Amino acid sequence: MKTFIQTLYLVLFFCLYSPMSLQAQAADNPIALIKQNYRNALVNKSPDKAPLIKTLSAIPPEEEVSDQSVIELQQQYPISPEEVALLVQTLDKNGSWTDINYNDTKRSGWEPKKHAERILKLTKYYYQKKETLPAAELSQIKDGIHRAMGFWFDSRLVCKNWWYNEIGIPLTLGSAFLLFEQEMNEQERQAAIEVMQNAKFGRTGQNKVWLAGNVLMRALLQNDWELVKEAQAAISSEIVLGREEGIKTDWSFHQHGPQQQFGNYGLAYISNMSFYSEVFAGTPLAFSQEQQKILTSLLLEGFQWIVWRGYWDVNAMNRQLFKNADIDKTFYLSFAASSLLKGSDPITAGKIREMIQRNSLSNTAPNTFVGNKHFSESDYTLHRTPRWMASLRMASNRVIGTELINEDNLKGYYMADGALYTYIRGDEYHNIFPFWDWRRIPGITTYESNAPIPTPYQHNARNQSSCVGGTSDRNSGITAMQLNRNGLTAHKAWIFTENYILCIGGNIRSDSTATLMTSIDQRFRRGKVWSCSDKRFFHDNTGYILLQADTCVALTERKQGQWHDFMGMYKPMMLEDDIFSIYIKHRKNKPAGYAYLVLPGSSKKQTQDFRTDDIRILQNDEKMQVVIIGKWCYAAVYKEASIRISEKEEIDIAQPGTYIIDMESGECKGEPFIL
């Protein structure tokens, strides 16, 4: 009888506490489950994130931070007892820290936000350690949190930049409030809700998601189920394709108009959405399968293309050219990818794990994600081989090239004029910006001048041409751009193959007497520069071969510069380093042109011995640029034309665009420009 009763108790126990039973309880109290999911996500309870946290911990965090993605990345670092002890010890009686300038008026990198971030750090530590710390130590931390929160509630600090007031501060403090909710008295809870009320539904794209996410935290603090549902609906309403801002149908991301924003708003979007995917998983508000698929497709069809061996592509940083941004942004993307695992099917989850592993800084295996992709809605091309990656960023009358906001990107005016970067290790342009000549951004054609760099808001800042586009065919592609602004015209085309990039330019002219130049590359000097007859150059595992050009200049210079000069939030501090630069100075008085090869992942001998007989440039002018490589004909056509590919054969091209023609089969693959 005793055994039977014990067995009955066990059956009842498992019935009450089985996963199905927990799900039933969650259905009865979904707010409690969402809160718990939220807290678990904040403190990274997922085992998939443990390796990322371990690797991240070995990298010193940045001290001057404005980028919200990097701020949230730094929140992933393990919190040490020493850090917490120092924060508590240095906290003033009134709840402030003396090293923070609470009167700061900057619009970017606003110092009082550090106060909110420290509160979040303390509440995270308290939440994780409250069951294990000695009572006296726990009481000190708890008292410090109460005082720090009280100072913020009483001070009512306001930034000149609306983003901090409505998004940045509520986003940080809302997380702290949820972690510390059980310890707050009613007066504190009401003050916390008042802080969160600065965020209201509205705006578009990622700003809309941030605001709705802040409303969600307020709803959870108020235990308001209807408002929770409304916030989730606002968040999930942005998981759609093809709107003016947000995810585009080519899997790029736009914000602030038709502008590629992978590294800024796009990264914030995928990170936030993956976080909410984790928070709502297993609740009545879980994202639908269709919504989850859109998010994983954005990750795998969009973001996956732009990272290389743990480094973020410069062309995808947008205006956020911060220190170590290429590493930090890739780490943050990996955390976002890990959050998406929870709601993904096994096949998709496997692809996500492969992507995370591929972009580990310690990974030395050959790249397995290869191909050529042109993001037609963002004028942006990526080319990936087993050994190297290249990226190309352009602009048109449809696509804004760059922006300058809050003193971010003060010198980036030319960054979408055909900027071409090649990566082998991934660190080729890591933290190079203080030393750059911003008129020699790799790949661009512009004026040689010592005049100040224009700003994006000056007259004629946008490219006044619709002839920008690209065609991909398996592991090769052609991309073309008609550059037309500030009195300068150039027809530029790039042909991407498995072993090299052919860069050609024609009809280069201007209404100015200033010298025009085309930059081939500009990067840190690594070892010696080899050259042969001013036509072949080799440096840093990359060869450069001039096929057609005017004067070519290759030099190394000791350069000085500071981050503050182009990112205003940094404190002025002069730095210096050695920079390698190679560029073409064009002849004056008549239209100029160029043709050169870039051979990433090559050697000095390979550069010296490389045969160019297989490359035939048939035409390079204002009408079209036509090249034959083996059996393939690559063409950038700017006006209706006929391409003579042999003595007996012509191909008529009725629509301007980019085309790849198989001369053996006659098959023609092409993408007309969006006129």
Side-chain angles (χ1 to χ4, degrees):
M1 184 66 180
K2 183 179 179 181
T3 303
F4 172 79
I5 293 173
Q6 288 175 333
T7 303
L8 182 60
Y9 274 130
L10 284 172
V11 170
L12 288 171
F13 176 85
F14 283 114
C15 287
L16 287 170
Y17 295 101
S18 67
M20 288 298 292
S21 176
L22 291 175
Q23 288 177 14
Q25 291 178 47
D28 292 336
N29 190 4
I31 286 183
L33 180 57
I34 291 172
K35 280 186 183 181
Q36 193 56 52
N37 284 354
Y38 208 114
R39 290 166 182 147
N40 288 344
L42 285 173
V43 298
N44 283 325
K45 284 205 169 181
S46 167
D48 287 298
K49 296 179 183 177
L52 291 172
I53 294 171
K54 182 179 179 181
T55 307
L56 179 66
S57 302
I59 301 174
E62 288 298 302
E63 296 181 2
E64 295 178 274
V65 182
S66 173
D67 182 351
Q68 181 63 24
S69 294
V70 177
I71 289 170
E72 292 179 18
L73 174 69
Q74 293 196 351
Q75 293 168 4
Q76 313 301 321
Y77 279 80
I79 305 167
S80 70
E82 293 77 17
E83 280 183 277
V84 171
L86 183 63
L87 286 178
V88 172
Q89 290 165 13
T90 56
L91 186 66
D92 195 78
K93 288 182 180 179
N94 70 353
S96 67
W97 280 279
T98 57
D99 64 327
I100 294 177
N101 176 15
Y102 292 97
N103 296 315
D104 185 24
T105 59
K106 292 198 303 292
R107 295 179 60 84
S108 179
W110 188 51
E111 278 207 40
K113 191 168 187 297
K114 292 180 182 177
H115 187 101
E117 289 156 11
R118 291 177 183 181
I119 290 175
L120 178 57
K121 181 170 285 191
L122 289 173
T123 56
K124 269 188 168 183
Y125 188 82
Y126 179 87
Y127 182 82
Q128 291 173 294
K129 304 292 184 181
K130 63 183 177 181
E131 303 297 333
T132 57
L133 284 178
E137 185 179 347
L138 198 66
S139 178
Q140 276 189 322
I141 298 170
K142 182 178 174 181
D143 176 67
I145 295 170
H146 283 298
R147 281 189 287 137
M149 282 187 177
F151 176 84
W152 190 270
F153 296 148
D154 293 339
S155 298
R156 299 177 180 270
L157 299 171
V158 177
C159 180
K160 290 183 177 180
N161 183 347
W162 73 271
W163 188 92
Y164 284 97
N165 305 320
E166 297 180 30
I167 294 177
I169 293 300
L171 183 62
T172 303
L173 285 180
S175 299
F177 297 152
L178 283 173
L179 291 170
F180 202 62
E181 182 184 15
Q182 301 304 318
E183 311 299 338
M184 289 195 293
N185 60 39
E186 185 58 26
Q187 183 179 354
E188 288 172 322
R189 199 175 77 86
Q190 290 304 320
I193 290 170
E194 185 178 343
V195 169
M196 301 307 295
Q197 283 174 333
N198 287 321
K200 296 178 173 58
F201 294 123
R203 300 190 182 265
T204 61
Q206 176 52 29
N207 285 329
K208 177 180 177 180
V209 176
W210 270 321
L211 288 167
N214 288 345
V215 174
L216 170 66
M217 285 188 281
R218 173 163 64 88
L220 292 174
L221 288 169
Q222 294 174 314
N223 293 304
D224 185 338
W225 177 238
E226 293 304 314
L227 189 57
V228 169
K229 289 192 292 183
E230 191 178 353
Q232 192 274 357
I235 291 168
S236 61
S237 72
E238 286 299 308
I239 310 178
V240 293
L241 299 180
R243 287 183 180 168
E244 184 176 341
E245 293 193 344
I247 309 172
K248 308 306 289 182
T249 55
D250 64 356
W251 301 110
S252 61
F253 192 94
H254 285 190
Q255 190 89 29
H256 290 175
Q259 181 179 185
Q260 183 258 107
Q261 292 275 16
F262 270 123
N264 185 0
Y265 293 95
L267 178 58
Y269 175 91
I270 190 69
S271 300
N272 277 207
M273 286 301 189
S274 63
F275 178 84
Y276 294 126
S277 171
E278 190 173 3
V279 165
F280 293 128
T283 78
L285 301 183
F287 290 155
S288 68
Q289 289 184 355
E290 181 183 357
Q291 290 169 333
Q292 187 76 11
K293 188 165 190 250
I294 289 175
L295 294 177
T296 56
S297 295
L298 175 63
L299 179 73
L300 297 174
E301 301 297 329
F303 283 94
Q304 182 168 209
W305 284 90
I306 68 174
V307 286
W308 181 263
R309 299 193 178 281
Y311 291 86
W312 198 270
D313 174 30
V314 175
N315 274 328
M317 287 184 189
N318 312 110
R319 75 173 193 259
Q320 295 190 325
L321 306 176
F322 296 110
K323 293 178 186 176
N324 297 322
D326 48 359
I327 291 177
D328 289 341
K329 287 180 182 295
T330 304
F331 259 117
Y332 195 47
L333 180 67
S334 295
F335 276 101
S338 294
S339 292
L340 281 175
L341 289 170
K342 188 173 181 180
S344 298
D345 62 81
I347 293 175
T348 303
K351 291 179 181 178
I352 293 173
R353 287 192 173 92
E354 287 175 6
M355 174 193 156
I356 295 171
Q357 177 58 35
R358 188 183 303 116
N359 289 294
S360 164
L361 286 171
S362 60
N363 180 34
T364 58
N367 170 57
T368 55
F369 183 64
V370 299
N372 181 278
K373 177 163 183 171
H374 177 68
F375 291 91
S376 59
E377 295 190 68
S378 292
D379 294 344
Y380 180 38
T381 297
L382 276 301
H383 184 72
R384 302 173 63 97
T385 78
R387 296 177 296 115
W388 54 273
M389 181 181 90
S391 83
L392 172 65
R393 184 177 175 191
M394 303 163 294
S396 64
N397 57 10
R398 304 178 308 275
V399 176
I400 299 170
T402 187
E403 65 180 356
L404 189 169
I405 295 177
N406 299 329
E407 295 189 307
D408 292 351
N409 195 27
L410 291 166
K411 294 189 176 184
Y413 181 77
Y414 297 108
M415 290 195 75
D417 283 8
L420 177 71
Y421 305 100
T422 59
Y423 305 90
I424 302 162
R425 297 177 305 273
D427 66 352
E428 281 77 5
Y429 306 96
H430 177 65
N431 288 344
I432 196 172
F433 308 121
F435 313 107
W436 251 2
D437 180 334
W438 292 83
R439 294 179 186 272
R440 290 189 216 155
I441 293 170
I444 72 168
T445 298
T446 190
Y447 297 100
E448 185 175 47
S449 173
N450 293 321
I453 300 293
T455 73
Y457 303 114
Q458 290 179 333
H459 177 67
N460 202 23
R462 290 179 67 165
N463 185 23
Q464 303 299 312
S465 175
S466 58
C467 292
V468 179
T471 295
S472 302
D473 186 24
R474 296 178 289 273
N475 294 328
S476 73
I478 177 172
T479 300
M481 173 191 195
Q482 181 186 39
L483 179 65
N484 179 19
R485 68 170 180 161
N486 293 329
L488 187 155
T489 297
H491 291 70
K492 299 166 68 70
W494 299 262
I495 296 168
F496 299 90
T497 75
E498 293 188 60
N499 297 310
Y500 60 82
I501 308 161
L502 171 62
C503 309
I504 55 178
N507 192 38
I508 301 172
R509 53 189 172 83
S510 78
D511 59 7
S512 169
T513 58
T515 299
L516 298 176
M517 63 179 178
T518 295
S519 176
I520 297 175
D521 208 347
Q522 186 182 197
R523 60 172 69 182
F524 287 111
R525 187 186 75 176
R526 295 182 185 270
K528 294 182 179 180
V529 178
W530 171 87
S531 65
C532 176
S533 304
D534 293 330
K535 294 293 183 184
R536 297 188 180 223
F537 302 83
F538 177 78
H539 169 257
D540 191 21
N541 301 313
T542 304
Y544 310 92
I545 300 177
L546 279 294
L547 302 177
Q548 172 203 335
D550 302 311
T551 304
C552 182
V553 179
L555 70 162
T556 57
E557 304 169 277
R558 189 71 179 173
K559 301 288 289 290
Q560 288 188 324
Q562 50 187 353
W563 291 90
H564 176 76
D565 289 343
F566 58 94
M567 298 296 286
M569 55 86 59
Y570 286 109
K571 296 180 178 68
M573 184 176 71
M574 194 61 69
L575 306 168
E576 62 178 43
D577 215 315
D578 293 326
I579 301 298
F580 164 75
S581 183
I582 179 170
Y583 61 97
I584 299 163
K585 296 180 72 168
H586 297 295
R587 64 181 184 265
K588 295 183 179 181
N589 305 322
K590 57 181 179 179
Y594 63 80
Y596 62 87
L597 295 170
V598 180
L599 282 66
S602 63
S603 65
K604 171 184 167 183
K605 180 170 174 48
Q606 287 172 321
T607 303
Q608 187 173 14
D609 296 344
F610 188 89
R611 294 180 63 86
T612 61
D613 306 5
D614 196 37
I615 301 170
R616 291 189 292 142
I617 300 174
L618 302 186
Q619 192 167 338
N620 181 19
D621 54 31
E622 75 279 6
K623 290 184 178 179
M624 59 182 160
Q625 293 159 305
V626 183
V627 178
I628 291 179
I629 302 174
K631 72 167 188 170
W632 300 100
C633 176
Y634 297 88
V637 180
Y638 304 97
K639 298 178 181 179
E640 182 178 346
S642 295
I643 301 174
R644 182 176 290 278
I645 60 176
S646 68
E647 290 184 3
K648 298 181 179 180
E649 187 173 1
E650 281 189 359
I651 295 179
D652 293 327
I653 303 293
Q655 293 180 285
T658 51
Y659 299 89
I660 302 175
I661 303 162
D662 183 338
M663 294 192 300
E664 291 181 356
S665 67
E667 180 184 355
C668 178
K669 182 174 184 179
E671 294 292 337
F673 296 132
I674 304 172
L675 301 177

